[in-house]
Amino acid sequence: MRLRALLETDALGLRLLGGEDELDRTVRGVMTTDLRDPSRYLSGGELVLTGLAWRRDASDSEPFVRILAGAGVAGLAAGEAELGDIPADLVEACVQHRLPLFAVNETVAFATITEHVVRQVSGERAGDLAAVVDRHRRLMTSGPAGGGPEVVLDLLTSDLDLRAWVLSPTGRQIAGAGAPLPAPLGAALAGHHLAATRTGRRGPYRAAVAGSTYSLFPIRNAGRGAVPAARDVRESVLSDWLLAVEADASDWPAARLDLLQGVTQLIAVERDRRDAARTVRRRLAQEVLELVQAGAAPAEIAARLRVAAPVLLPGLGVAPQWQVVVARVDWTASGMAGGAGGPDDIAGGPIAQALLEEILVDPAVSGPDSADRIAVAHTGEEAIALVPLPAVPAPLPETVDGPTDNAAAPDTAEAPAAQDPALHADALLAAVREPLSAGLSDDGRLTLGVSAAVHSAEGLRGALEEARHARRVAAARPGRVCAAGHHELASHVLLLPFVPDDVRRAFTARLLDPLRDYDRRHRAELIETLEAFLDCDGSWTRCAARLHLHVNTLRYRVGRIEQLTGRDLSRLEDKLDFFLALRMS
């Protein structure tokens, strides 16, 4: 309950002497004391009742109030029975420490106030709780939207005095009542939630962060029409929302826990509705991706982009630039729980798709509708995002004599620079690396590659391959969450996406087809040997050790490769040709 509610209750006989701006403080309990230092008995949130027996002179007031403020009490109520009017020094001390101060009429017993407060803040009153549950149930049956997550969170605050936030798996705030949750705190709570989920424990999970205790409730729709539960927790851990409540739910009664579970189901229905709204964007991305991978004519791809741009960038018409982002989630067998399938049984594409949709949202933007410009498809184990970039306004043209406008030119030192709208790999995962690493635990990896911006449909094929090459660069790095951008690619890799398909096929066929044919007939593993030999920089001993071969056997295989292709693997030019052929195949 709030201090304001106490003041508005006539039967309590309270008169406000200071702290009108603090009346929305929460009262969590009540304590009566005349000790000069009651701090050992205070836990925060109490309404302290005192008869002022601790006060001998004016110098005693400030230390007493300072102790109460430091303990985090909600307010102080002083009785008028002993001294009559409340001393001015006590009023001044409360103003100094921003502690609300009430005068208690001499006709009102402290026991009356104590009984009222205890009755109001008790979470176990069946009648009060039943009324709150009923209000939430009516919301849940009012339609698919249910008024949105904000409505139900407002009810939690007003009816149960619980501060709560809906968070994405990266800690981004989807909804909340009252002040926004700081981004680092949201990321920390999401990390706790993902780590606890990976252990297989049932929620809610308790987390102590920044001196406060939170209870974390998984948000999953268990009602009619809900998606069947995942066979393996890894199929959903990186995409589920969570409800973070600033309270310790470990000692809550069953009725209150049931209420919060109902709240999570209501929010899950809203989540399903938002996901359904992404269907159009996903389909657009899938159609463009299929055209690009099939080698469709640029005019056909451009026509599809003209359809996609108004959906992804409402009001803009045609996107002037596009970027491609490729993501992949891989699992190892080490994280399998009893009865769970192996990594091959987990479809990585949908997981990476949902995760990439979240990663590409600006972490500074809250709300469930902030992913409108994200279009992500998946093919096999990869998720591929098509990201339109709005145009950056060009600076005003200048003549030799200065700006074309007759008005005075602004000071260039103060003029804001145009913000680059392009995505950068090094910044993309900065805000989400910590919580995602907790969800991936010790058996999962997320790798991500970002292309350069392209200005036309002709460039999308190259951008896609560029992003894929960048993701492979990221995969070669240590760590659970890694990303690489186009600027990190070697020069030859930058050129590969723009080699015409017929040239690719002719080049690779001339060098590699004789080896493939020989391998099919003799199972000689010449292609594997060639790849290992180049990866080992032509070192005979290291390559033999990697392939578990005797050096003489390796020399025989390399000789066979040279004989079949007419090339010499001791020459740099021939090594480079083989290297490029393998990369383009």
Side-chain angles (χ1 to χ4, degrees):
M1 67 178 303
R2 308 286 181 179
L3 285 174
R4 190 181 305 278
L6 292 174
L7 186 63
E8 294 170 351
T9 305
D10 295 337
L12 299 182
L14 297 178
R15 180 164 49 90
L16 183 65
L17 300 181
E20 183 176 0
D21 295 338
E22 306 291 334
L23 290 180
D24 285 327
R25 289 189 181 186
T26 300
V27 180
R28 304 188 186 279
V30 62
M31 176 189 177
T32 300
T33 184
D34 277 312
L35 294 174
R36 296 169 63 85
D37 181 3
S39 57
R40 72 181 68 181
Y41 305 110
L42 297 171
S43 58
E46 296 92 349
L47 174 67
V48 174
L49 307 176
T50 181
L52 301 178
W54 50 266
R55 182 185 179 276
R56 292 172 299 186
D57 55 46
S59 64
D60 292 335
S61 293
E62 195 280 333
F64 179 77
V65 173
R66 180 173 5 104
I67 290 171
L68 297 187
V73 303
L76 174 64
E80 297 178 322
E82 185 71 21
L83 299 179
D85 292 338
I86 304 303
D89 49 87
L90 180 60
V91 176
E92 292 173 3
C94 288
V95 170
Q96 176 185 346
H97 292 281
R98 301 181 62 85
L99 183 66
L101 175 62
F102 302 90
V104 182
N105 190 284
E106 62 180 353
T107 62
V108 179
F110 282 176
T112 301
I113 299 175
T114 301
E115 181 182 355
H116 178 83
V117 172
V118 170
R119 186 170 63 247
Q120 292 299 316
V121 302
S122 173
E124 299 184 19
R125 293 186 64 219
D128 291 348
L129 192 55
V132 177
V133 172
D134 183 61
R135 292 177 67 182
H136 285 292
R137 284 175 178 166
R138 280 187 274 118
L139 266 180
M140 295 178 67
T141 58
S142 63
E150 292 81 4
V151 173
V152 71
L153 297 184
D154 285 340
L155 283 177
L156 285 179
T157 300
S158 61
D159 291 351
L160 293 182
D161 197 25
L162 293 175
R163 298 178 65 209
W165 302 266
V166 178
L167 304 178
S168 77
T170 66
R172 183 176 61 87
Q173 181 172 318
I174 304 296
L181 199 66
L185 178 55
L189 291 175
H192 278 282
H193 176 262
L194 292 173
T197 302
R198 287 303 311 274
T199 66
R201 292 189 291 117
R202 295 185 60 184
Y205 313 116
R206 184 180 182 276
V209 181
S212 297
T213 300
Y214 298 85
S215 295
L216 310 176
F217 293 80
I219 293 178
R220 302 188 186 99
N221 187 3
R224 295 180 59 185
V227 177
R231 297 173 304 156
D232 191 311
V233 68
R234 291 173 291 183
E235 295 180 1
S236 61
V237 66
L238 296 175
S239 58
D240 285 344
W241 287 357
L242 66 135
L243 177 67
V245 181
E246 190 178 7
D248 187 350
S250 59
D251 58 352
W252 281 4
R256 178 168 288 201
L257 287 173
D258 288 345
L259 168 64
L260 267 293
Q261 296 296 345
V263 169
T264 62
Q265 289 187 32
L266 170 63
I267 299 172
V269 171
E270 180 70 6
R271 167 70 190 271
D272 292 345
R273 189 182 72 84
R274 309 274 181 172
D275 283 348
R278 289 184 174 182
T279 302
V280 173
R281 297 193 296 275
R282 287 178 171 178
R283 185 169 65 247
L284 288 173
Q286 196 74 41
E287 291 174 355
V288 173
L289 175 63
E290 290 173 358
L291 290 174
V292 170
Q293 294 192 129
E300 186 178 357
I301 299 174
R304 179 53 55 188
L305 288 178
R306 284 193 292 272
V307 174
V311 176
L312 302 179
L313 288 178
L316 183 62
V318 178
Q321 299 181 84
W322 299 88
Q323 267 185 292
V324 176
V325 182
V326 174
R328 180 178 174 121
V329 175
D330 294 290
W331 303 100
T332 64
S334 61
M336 290 190 301
D344 293 339
D345 297 328
I346 304 174
I351 298 173
Q353 181 183 41
L355 192 54
L356 190 52
E357 286 173 334
E358 171 61 28
I359 290 172
L360 291 176
V361 177
D362 184 349
V365 177
S366 63
D369 288 325
S370 54
D372 286 345
R373 59 189 285 263
I374 310 302
V376 184
H378 71 83
T379 174
E381 298 300 303
E382 284 184 336
I384 301 171
L386 189 66
V387 182
L389 302 177
V392 177
L396 292 175
E398 295 186 3
T399 65
V400 176
D401 298 325
T404 56
D405 195 340
N406 292 330
D411 185 352
T412 55
E414 297 179 0
Q419 184 178 3
D420 181 10
L423 301 172
H424 298 277
D426 53 353
L428 201 56
L429 296 182
V432 301
R433 181 175 279 109
E434 180 181 351
L436 292 184
S437 296
L440 292 164
S441 189
D442 59 354
D443 62 325
R445 288 200 75 203
L446 166 67
T447 51
L448 185 146
V450 182
S451 79
V454 295
H455 300 266
S456 64
E458 288 88 343
L460 279 182
R461 172 69 180 269
L464 175 58
E465 297 206 21
E466 190 174 74
R468 281 174 166 161
H469 283 306
R471 192 205 64 79
R472 294 188 189 104
V473 170
R477 296 172 175 168
R480 290 290 161 198
V481 180
C482 298
H486 60 92
H487 61 282
E488 301 178 64
L489 303 181
S491 59
H492 73 274
V493 179
L494 283 174
L495 293 174
L496 291 182
F498 303 101
V499 177
D501 287 345
D502 54 345
V503 176
R504 286 167 172 264
R505 285 191 291 269
F507 182 74
T508 57
R510 185 168 60 250
L511 282 173
L512 301 183
D513 279 2
L515 306 182
R516 291 184 178 125
D517 291 342
Y518 192 87
D519 281 346
R520 278 194 295 268
R521 295 195 307 270
H522 302 284
R523 298 182 180 179
E525 299 180 350
L526 295 184
I527 292 289
E528 180 184 354
T529 301
L530 176 61
E531 290 177 334
F533 188 73
L534 295 176
D535 286 344
C536 293
D537 299 322
S539 169
W540 296 99
T541 54
R542 282 195 291 126
C543 184
R546 176 184 292 191
L547 296 175
H548 305 291
L549 298 175
H550 192 278
V551 173
N552 289 341
T553 304
L554 175 61
R555 291 184 183 276
Y556 172 80
R557 289 188 182 181
V558 170
R560 179 64 68 183
I561 292 171
E562 293 174 334
Q563 178 185 6
L564 292 170
T565 61
R567 300 299 184 102
D568 183 355
L569 278 170
S570 65
R571 299 177 66 247
L572 176 62
E573 294 86 347
D574 288 341
K575 286 180 181 177
L576 180 59
D577 283 347
F578 277 122
F579 177 81
L580 293 175
L582 289 168
R583 289 298 180 271
M584 289 191 295
S585 63

